[in-house]
Amino acid sequence: MAQQKLRLLYVGLLSVGALCLYFSMAPYKEEPFVFKKTYGTFLQLPDIDCRQDPPFLVLLVTSSHMQASARTAIRKTWGREWTVSGRQVRTFFLLGTTGNQEQTNAVAQESYEHGDIIQKNFKDVYFNLTLKTMMGLEWVHHFCPQAAFVMKTDSDMFVNVHYLTELLLKKNRTTRFFTGFLKLNEYPIRRKFNKWFVSKYEYPWDKYPPFCSGTGYVFSSDVASQVYDVSESVPFIKLEDVFVGLCLAKLRIRPEELHSQQTFFPEGLRFSTCRFKKIVACHFVTPKELLTYWHVLETSQEDCPEV
């Protein structure tokens, strides 16, 4: 009898243990993160009054504290304050914050010297790129809605400001316009150790809506305000270009081609003078290459065929 009771007790303990193990291993469902318009406060704002002197094109460049050399190269090349065909073009850099005090001080000094940094109080890491991009759209919405167009791009890019301005003037689209390297049939990557992994919980659908490569996309400034307005009602995702695409889908704005020829090159492109005179953006360009390319383009007397 006593032995039977011991067996029952043993079975009972095993059952309780198994239940505890099951519930401890069950996936913990936390509330999905939703972008809030109040997320972070502005720490640095650029030196521009868009009401007095509205730019035709604003270039927003995602950067980080460790990319000072890239910012310097951009300021010396396509990020200079330009007047193209009588239209003003301005470039600003988007940054978050770091725990490194030396880097923090250096960025504050840069902001003081150049007046071209937009910064908010969030951790500057790759997977906060959506927050960084939305910060740029928020700045346009609140401080520079007078701009005609905005380009979001990265700090390892070559941007042909002259050709982009020329194409935008030809396009003559000032509202609900969004363009770049079109991605119309993209699927979430479900492999866990991939850099762009997205779980079913983050994004349960099997296909992304149309979007443009985050290396560089261009839009009319009204789109910045519309995306910013709708952003809180769209499921947050760490891939900023996809998140913007989700916002565009909700707004029923479809990305479109800027030109009949390819002008955005997110996978990079071998340099040649004539080729780079007729592109808008090229990825994987180092600061040294950028300075070299720009010098060649500015000094070249080569006759190039019309495209």
Side-chain angles (χ1 to χ4, degrees), residues 219-252:
F219 46 96
S220 51
S221 66
D222 65 308
V223 173
S225 291
Q226 290 176 52
V227 168
Y228 178 67
D229 284 338
V230 82
S231 58
E232 282 188 334
S233 63
V234 172
F236 184 89
I237 190 167
K238 58 182 173 280
L239 307 179
E240 55 92 11
D241 46 9
V242 174
F243 180 74
V244 172
L246 289 167
C247 292
L248 293 175
K250 187 148 192 177
L251 293 164
R252 297 186 180 180

mmCIF file of all heavy atoms in Angstrom, residues 219-252:
data_model
loop_
_atom_site.group_PDB
_atom_site.id
_atom_site.type_symbol
_atom_site.label_atom_id
_atom_site.label_comp_id
_atom_site.label_asym_id
_atom_site.label_seq_id
_atom_site.Cartn_x
_atom_site.Cartn_y
_atom_site.Cartn_z
ATOM 1 N N PHE A 219 11.057 61.286 -52.816
ATOM 2 C CA PHE A 219 9.610 61.468 -52.747
ATOM 3 C C PHE A 219 9.251 62.945 -52.625
ATOM 4 O O PHE A 219 10.071 63.752 -52.178
ATOM 5 C CB PHE A 219 9.022 60.682 -51.575
ATOM 6 C CG PHE A 219 9.770 60.836 -50.278
ATOM 7 C CD1 PHE A 219 9.375 61.756 -49.317
ATOM 8 C CD2 PHE A 219 10.892 60.057 -50.019
ATOM 9 C CE1 PHE A 219 10.072 61.896 -48.127
ATOM 10 C CE2 PHE A 219 11.602 60.188 -48.831
ATOM 11 C CZ PHE A 219 11.188 61.111 -47.875
ATOM 12 N N SER A 220 8.046 63.288 -53.054
ATOM 13 C CA SER A 220 7.556 64.645 -52.865
ATOM 14 C C SER A 220 7.341 64.866 -51.377
ATOM 15 O O SER A 220 7.021 63.930 -50.626
ATOM 16 C CB SER A 220 6.262 64.863 -53.649
ATOM 17 O OG SER A 220 5.316 63.845 -53.378
ATOM 18 N N SER A 221 7.520 66.092 -50.926
ATOM 19 C CA SER A 221 7.541 66.338 -49.470
ATOM 20 C C SER A 221 6.196 66.062 -48.807
ATOM 21 O O SER A 221 6.146 65.783 -47.609
ATOM 22 C CB SER A 221 7.991 67.768 -49.171
ATOM 23 O OG SER A 221 7.038 68.698 -49.639
ATOM 24 N N ASP A 222 5.102 66.113 -49.561
ATOM 25 C CA ASP A 222 3.803 65.790 -48.959
ATOM 26 C C ASP A 222 3.768 64.338 -48.492
ATOM 27 O O ASP A 222 3.068 64.006 -47.526
ATOM 28 C CB ASP A 222 2.659 66.061 -49.939
ATOM 29 C CG ASP A 222 2.723 65.150 -51.166
ATOM 30 O OD1 ASP A 222 3.789 65.087 -51.798
ATOM 31 O OD2 ASP A 222 1.709 64.501 -51.481
ATOM 32 N N VAL A 223 4.542 63.462 -49.163
ATOM 33 C CA VAL A 223 4.592 62.054 -48.766
ATOM 34 C C VAL A 223 5.233 61.910 -47.384
ATOM 35 O O VAL A 223 4.820 61.063 -46.586
ATOM 36 C CB VAL A 223 5.347 61.212 -49.818
ATOM 37 C CG1 VAL A 223 5.566 59.779 -49.332
ATOM 38 C CG2 VAL A 223 4.585 61.212 -51.132
ATOM 39 N N ALA A 224 6.228 62.757 -47.079
ATOM 40 C CA ALA A 224 6.864 62.709 -45.746
ATOM 41 C C ALA A 224 5.813 62.928 -44.671
ATOM 42 O O ALA A 224 5.749 62.183 -43.680
ATOM 43 C CB ALA A 224 7.962 63.765 -45.647
ATOM 44 N N SER A 225 4.972 63.938 -44.855
ATOM 45 C CA SER A 225 3.933 64.231 -43.861
ATOM 46 C C SER A 225 2.890 63.124 -43.804
ATOM 47 O O SER A 225 2.441 62.728 -42.726
ATOM 48 C CB SER A 225 3.244 65.566 -44.188
ATOM 49 O OG SER A 225 4.137 66.639 -43.987
ATOM 50 N N GLN A 226 2.513 62.588 -44.957
ATOM 51 C CA GLN A 226 1.493 61.536 -44.983
ATOM 52 C C GLN A 226 1.997 60.249 -44.333
ATOM 53 O O GLN A 226 1.269 59.591 -43.582
ATOM 54 C CB GLN A 226 1.057 61.284 -46.426
ATOM 55 C CG GLN A 226 0.252 62.435 -47.025
ATOM 56 C CD GLN A 226 -0.086 62.202 -48.489
ATOM 57 O OE1 GLN A 226 -0.618 61.166 -48.867
ATOM 58 N NE2 GLN A 226 0.239 63.167 -49.326
ATOM 59 N N VAL A 227 3.245 59.876 -44.625
ATOM 60 C CA VAL A 227 3.826 58.676 -43.999
ATOM 61 C C VAL A 227 3.950 58.891 -42.498
ATOM 62 O O VAL A 227 3.632 57.992 -41.707
ATOM 63 C CB VAL A 227 5.197 58.337 -44.624
ATOM 64 C CG1 VAL A 227 5.935 57.291 -43.796
ATOM 65 C CG2 VAL A 227 5.021 57.845 -46.059
ATOM 66 N N TYR A 228 4.400 60.070 -42.098
ATOM 67 C CA TYR A 228 4.530 60.372 -40.668
ATOM 68 C C TYR A 228 3.166 60.293 -39.978
ATOM 69 O O TYR A 228 3.041 59.730 -38.888
ATOM 70 C CB TYR A 228 5.149 61.753 -40.488
ATOM 71 C CG TYR A 228 5.291 62.183 -39.044
ATOM 72 C CD1 TYR A 228 6.167 61.528 -38.190
ATOM 73 C CD2 TYR A 228 4.534 63.239 -38.542
ATOM 74 C CE1 TYR A 228 6.288 61.908 -36.866
ATOM 75 C CE2 TYR A 228 4.657 63.626 -37.217
ATOM 76 C CZ TYR A 228 5.530 62.962 -36.387
ATOM 77 O OH TYR A 228 5.636 63.342 -35.064
ATOM 78 N N ASP A 229 2.142 60.823 -40.616
ATOM 79 C CA ASP A 229 0.798 60.817 -40.024
ATOM 80 C C ASP A 229 0.247 59.407 -39.852
ATOM 81 O O ASP A 229 -0.401 59.093 -38.855
ATOM 82 C CB ASP A 229 -0.169 61.638 -40.885
ATOM 83 C CG ASP A 229 0.014 63.137 -40.709
ATOM 84 O OD1 ASP A 229 0.566 63.551 -39.668
ATOM 85 O OD2 ASP A 229 -0.389 63.900 -41.610
ATOM 86 N N VAL A 230 0.500 58.533 -40.823
ATOM 87 C CA VAL A 230 -0.096 57.196 -40.812
ATOM 88 C C VAL A 230 0.754 56.186 -40.045
ATOM 89 O O VAL A 230 0.303 55.081 -39.734
ATOM 90 C CB VAL A 230 -0.339 56.711 -42.269
ATOM 91 C CG1 VAL A 230 0.933 56.140 -42.880
ATOM 92 C CG2 VAL A 230 -1.458 55.707 -42.337
ATOM 93 N N SER A 231 1.986 56.564 -39.698
ATOM 94 C CA SER A 231 2.970 55.611 -39.168
ATOM 95 C C SER A 231 2.533 54.906 -37.892
ATOM 96 O O SER A 231 2.872 53.744 -37.682
ATOM 97 C CB SER A 231 4.311 56.319 -38.933
ATOM 98 O OG SER A 231 4.148 57.411 -38.039
ATOM 99 N N GLU A 232 1.796 55.576 -37.036
ATOM 100 C CA GLU A 232 1.391 54.945 -35.769
ATOM 101 C C GLU A 232 0.362 53.830 -35.964
ATOM 102 O O GLU A 232 0.175 53.005 -35.074
ATOM 103 C CB GLU A 232 0.816 55.998 -34.808
ATOM 104 C CG GLU A 232 1.877 56.826 -34.126
ATOM 105 C CD GLU A 232 1.307 57.724 -33.037
ATOM 106 O OE1 GLU A 232 0.121 58.095 -33.110
ATOM 107 O OE2 GLU A 232 2.055 58.053 -32.107
ATOM 108 N N SER A 233 -0.283 53.811 -37.116
ATOM 109 C CA SER A 233 -1.310 52.798 -37.353
ATOM 110 C C SER A 233 -0.786 51.634 -38.194
ATOM 111 O O SER A 233 -1.557 50.771 -38.614
ATOM 112 C CB SER A 233 -2.519 53.436 -38.057
ATOM 113 O OG SER A 233 -2.142 53.931 -39.323
ATOM 114 N N VAL A 234 0.522 51.620 -38.435
ATOM 115 C CA VAL A 234 1.146 50.562 -39.249
ATOM 116 C C VAL A 234 2.034 49.711 -38.345
ATOM 117 O O VAL A 234 2.796 50.252 -37.534
ATOM 118 C CB VAL A 234 1.985 51.187 -40.385
ATOM 119 C CG1 VAL A 234 2.793 50.129 -41.117
ATOM 120 C CG2 VAL A 234 1.074 51.929 -41.360
ATOM 121 N N PRO A 235 1.961 48.378 -38.429
ATOM 122 C CA PRO A 235 2.826 47.526 -37.592
ATOM 123 C C PRO A 235 4.297 47.863 -37.802
ATOM 124 O O PRO A 235 4.767 47.918 -38.943
ATOM 125 C CB PRO A 235 2.512 46.112 -38.073
ATOM 126 C CG PRO A 235 1.170 46.211 -38.727
ATOM 127 C CD PRO A 235 1.080 47.585 -39.305
ATOM 128 N N PHE A 236 4.997 48.093 -36.699
ATOM 129 C CA PHE A 236 6.410 48.478 -36.781
ATOM 130 C C PHE A 236 7.258 47.294 -37.240
ATOM 131 O O PHE A 236 7.022 46.156 -36.833
ATOM 132 C CB PHE A 236 6.897 48.946 -35.409
ATOM 133 C CG PHE A 236 8.317 49.450 -35.405
ATOM 134 C CD1 PHE A 236 8.592 50.778 -35.665
ATOM 135 C CD2 PHE A 236 9.379 48.597 -35.149
ATOM 136 C CE1 PHE A 236 9.898 51.250 -35.670
ATOM 137 C CE2 PHE A 236 10.684 49.054 -35.151
ATOM 138 C CZ PHE A 236 10.933 50.392 -35.406
ATOM 139 N N ILE A 237 8.224 47.582 -38.104
ATOM 140 C CA ILE A 237 9.175 46.558 -38.520
ATOM 141 C C ILE A 237 10.551 47.213 -38.604
ATOM 142 O O ILE A 237 10.667 48.381 -38.982
ATOM 143 C CB ILE A 237 8.750 45.920 -39.863
ATOM 144 C CG1 ILE A 237 9.594 44.695 -40.195
ATOM 145 C CG2 ILE A 237 8.756 46.916 -40.993
ATOM 146 C CD1 ILE A 237 9.033 43.858 -41.334
ATOM 147 N N LYS A 238 11.587 46.477 -38.227
ATOM 148 C CA LYS A 238 12.925 47.062 -38.118
ATOM 149 C C LYS A 238 13.561 47.383 -39.463
ATOM 150 O O LYS A 238 14.546 48.108 -39.526
ATOM 151 C CB LYS A 238 13.853 46.131 -37.322
ATOM 152 C CG LYS A 238 14.000 44.737 -37.899
ATOM 153 C CD LYS A 238 14.880 43.876 -37.028
ATOM 154 C CE LYS A 238 14.917 42.423 -37.496
ATOM 155 N NZ LYS A 238 13.738 41.671 -37.057
ATOM 156 N N LEU A 239 13.020 46.846 -40.549
ATOM 157 C CA LEU A 239 13.526 47.136 -41.885
ATOM 158 C C LEU A 239 12.864 48.423 -42.376
ATOM 159 O O LEU A 239 11.693 48.432 -42.737
ATOM 160 C CB LEU A 239 13.228 45.972 -42.835
ATOM 161 C CG LEU A 239 13.693 44.589 -42.352
ATOM 162 C CD1 LEU A 239 13.324 43.523 -43.366
ATOM 163 C CD2 LEU A 239 15.204 44.587 -42.086
ATOM 164 N N GLU A 240 13.629 49.521 -42.387
ATOM 165 C CA GLU A 240 13.014 50.835 -42.608
ATOM 166 C C GLU A 240 12.383 50.978 -43.985
ATOM 167 O O GLU A 240 11.319 51.604 -44.116
ATOM 168 C CB GLU A 240 14.031 51.958 -42.372
ATOM 169 C CG GLU A 240 15.316 51.880 -43.158
ATOM 170 C CD GLU A 240 15.287 52.622 -44.477
ATOM 171 O OE1 GLU A 240 14.331 53.383 -44.722
ATOM 172 O OE2 GLU A 240 16.227 52.443 -45.263
ATOM 173 N N ASP A 241 13.003 50.404 -45.018
ATOM 174 C CA ASP A 241 12.416 50.549 -46.343
ATOM 175 C C ASP A 241 11.094 49.788 -46.443
ATOM 176 O O ASP A 241 10.144 50.252 -47.089
ATOM 177 C CB ASP A 241 13.395 50.123 -47.446
ATOM 178 C CG ASP A 241 14.112 48.814 -47.169
ATOM 179 O OD1 ASP A 241 13.750 48.106 -46.199
ATOM 180 O OD2 ASP A 241 15.046 48.482 -47.936
ATOM 181 N N VAL A 242 11.018 48.638 -45.781
ATOM 182 C CA VAL A 242 9.767 47.879 -45.758
ATOM 183 C C VAL A 242 8.703 48.635 -44.955
ATOM 184 O O VAL A 242 7.538 48.717 -45.368
ATOM 185 C CB VAL A 242 9.983 46.471 -45.171
ATOM 186 C CG1 VAL A 242 8.649 45.739 -45.025
ATOM 187 C CG2 VAL A 242 10.934 45.663 -46.046
ATOM 188 N N PHE A 243 9.104 49.207 -43.809
ATOM 189 C CA PHE A 243 8.152 49.963 -42.992
ATOM 190 C C PHE A 243 7.568 51.133 -43.782
ATOM 191 O O PHE A 243 6.352 51.362 -43.763
ATOM 192 C CB PHE A 243 8.827 50.479 -41.718
ATOM 193 C CG PHE A 243 7.900 51.260 -40.828
ATOM 194 C CD1 PHE A 243 6.929 50.628 -40.066
ATOM 195 C CD2 PHE A 243 7.984 52.648 -40.757
ATOM 196 C CE1 PHE A 243 6.055 51.353 -39.258
ATOM 197 C CE2 PHE A 243 7.133 53.379 -39.954
ATOM 198 C CZ PHE A 243 6.166 52.733 -39.201
ATOM 199 N N VAL A 244 8.419 51.862 -44.493
ATOM 200 C CA VAL A 244 7.921 52.959 -45.327
ATOM 201 C C VAL A 244 6.988 52.410 -46.404
ATOM 202 O O VAL A 244 5.945 53.000 -46.704
ATOM 203 C CB VAL A 244 9.093 53.750 -45.946
ATOM 204 C CG1 VAL A 244 8.587 54.761 -46.980
ATOM 205 C CG2 VAL A 244 9.884 54.475 -44.866
ATOM 206 N N GLY A 245 7.333 51.243 -46.971
ATOM 207 C CA GLY A 245 6.464 50.605 -47.958
ATOM 208 C C GLY A 245 5.105 50.253 -47.392
ATOM 209 O O GLY A 245 4.072 50.400 -48.067
ATOM 210 N N LEU A 246 5.068 49.786 -46.132
ATOM 211 C CA LEU A 246 3.797 49.481 -45.475
ATOM 212 C C LEU A 246 2.949 50.742 -45.317
ATOM 213 O O LEU A 246 1.728 50.719 -45.507
ATOM 214 C CB LEU A 246 4.053 48.847 -44.106
ATOM 215 C CG LEU A 246 4.603 47.418 -44.110
ATOM 216 C CD1 LEU A 246 5.112 47.032 -42.729
ATOM 217 C CD2 LEU A 246 3.534 46.433 -44.563
ATOM 218 N N CYS A 247 3.617 51.838 -44.970
ATOM 219 C CA CYS A 247 2.905 53.125 -44.844
ATOM 220 C C CYS A 247 2.365 53.565 -46.205
ATOM 221 O O CYS A 247 1.221 54.027 -46.308
ATOM 222 C CB CYS A 247 3.840 54.193 -44.283
ATOM 223 S SG CYS A 247 4.343 53.921 -42.564
ATOM 224 N N LEU A 248 3.178 53.412 -47.257
ATOM 225 C CA LEU A 248 2.737 53.791 -48.598
ATOM 226 C C LEU A 248 1.535 52.961 -49.035
ATOM 227 O O LEU A 248 0.595 53.479 -49.657
ATOM 228 C CB LEU A 248 3.881 53.602 -49.601
ATOM 229 C CG LEU A 248 5.098 54.512 -49.452
ATOM 230 C CD1 LEU A 248 6.175 54.101 -50.460
ATOM 231 C CD2 LEU A 248 4.732 55.973 -49.654
ATOM 232 N N ALA A 249 1.568 51.660 -48.716
ATOM 233 C CA ALA A 249 0.447 50.783 -49.081
ATOM 234 C C ALA A 249 -0.845 51.252 -48.412
ATOM 235 O O ALA A 249 -1.910 51.259 -49.037
ATOM 236 C CB ALA A 249 0.768 49.343 -48.693
ATOM 237 N N LYS A 250 -0.746 51.647 -47.157
ATOM 238 C CA LYS A 250 -1.931 52.135 -46.448
ATOM 239 C C LYS A 250 -2.440 53.440 -47.063
ATOM 240 O O LYS A 250 -3.645 53.707 -47.075
ATOM 241 C CB LYS A 250 -1.606 52.328 -44.965
ATOM 242 C CG LYS A 250 -2.828 52.680 -44.133
ATOM 243 C CD LYS A 250 -2.739 52.148 -42.730
ATOM 244 C CE LYS A 250 -4.080 52.273 -42.033
ATOM 245 N NZ LYS A 250 -4.066 51.711 -40.680
ATOM 246 N N LEU A 251 -1.496 54.237 -47.565
ATOM 247 C CA LEU A 251 -1.857 55.518 -48.190
ATOM 248 C C LEU A 251 -2.247 55.353 -49.665
ATOM 249 O O LEU A 251 -2.650 56.315 -50.310
ATOM 250 C CB LEU A 251 -0.670 56.486 -48.103
ATOM 251 C CG LEU A 251 -0.281 56.953 -46.702
ATOM 252 C CD1 LEU A 251 1.117 57.566 -46.715
ATOM 253 C CD2 LEU A 251 -1.298 57.959 -46.167
ATOM 254 N N ARG A 252 -2.101 54.139 -50.189
ATOM 255 C CA ARG A 252 -2.368 53.829 -51.591
ATOM 256 C C ARG A 252 -1.499 54.679 -52.526
ATOM 257 O O ARG A 252 -1.949 55.175 -53.549
ATOM 258 C CB ARG A 252 -3.856 54.004 -51.911
ATOM 259 C CG ARG A 252 -4.726 53.046 -51.107
ATOM 260 C CD ARG A 252 -6.168 53.091 -51.514
ATOM 261 N NE ARG A 252 -6.952 52.148 -50.720
ATOM 262 C CZ ARG A 252 -8.269 51.960 -50.858
ATOM 263 N NH1 ARG A 252 -8.940 52.647 -51.758
ATOM 264 N NH2 ARG A 252 -8.896 51.079 -50.108
#
